[in-house]
Amino acid sequence: MDEASLSLIEVLVKSEFGTYMMVATFVFAIREATKVPKKYIPALSIVIGVLLAILEFKGFSFEVLKSGIQNAVWAIAMVFGVKYVQEKKLNKNT
């Protein structure tokens, strides 16, 4: 493994993997159930990420906001990554 891969793994291990997985799951479920346009997914992720961070830290501060936005960014990457893989697989099979 190269150094960039190791630093990514370290970031994943240090961050709260469960929290951004939860944000990604919520966003993915809402996107599939309501067909929210792609342009609203980042804002939706930030709102959900910050709300979950407020619940996790039991209050609001700059660190909570930072954590919520960080979780939202990871969740956005995961949701769009999953959608990309699904579309790529679907196009490959047709």
Side-chain angles (χ1 to χ4, degrees):
M1 269 192 207
D2 62 343
E3 191 171 316
S5 297
L6 287 176
S7 65
L8 176 63
I9 292 170
E10 289 173 2
V11 168
L12 289 174
V13 170
K14 288 180 183 177
S15 63
E16 295 294 327
F17 182 74
T19 305
Y20 62 84
M21 277 298 291
M22 192 180 312
V23 174
T25 303
F26 282 141
V27 171
F28 187 75
I30 290 170
R31 175 148 165 54
E32 291 297 312
T34 62
K35 300 298 181 195
V36 173
K38 286 182 185 178
K39 65 182 181 179
Y40 298 120
I41 296 297
L44 179 65
S45 295
I46 290 171
V47 168
I48 292 172
V50 171
L51 289 174
L52 286 175
I54 289 170
L55 290 173
E56 180 181 356
F57 291 104
K58 296 177 179 72
F60 186 78
S61 67
F62 177 74
E63 289 300 317
V64 171
L65 181 64
K66 187 176 90 172
S67 176
I69 292 173
Q70 177 185 356
N71 290 334
V73 169
W74 282 107
I76 292 166
M78 291 177 73
V79 168
F80 283 118
V82 167
K83 293 300 283 182
Y84 175 79
V85 168
Q86 285 178 343
E87 290 171 2
K88 192 84 162 172
K89 196 174 197 180
L90 182 64
N91 290 338
K92 192 176 185 180
N93 290 336
T94 57

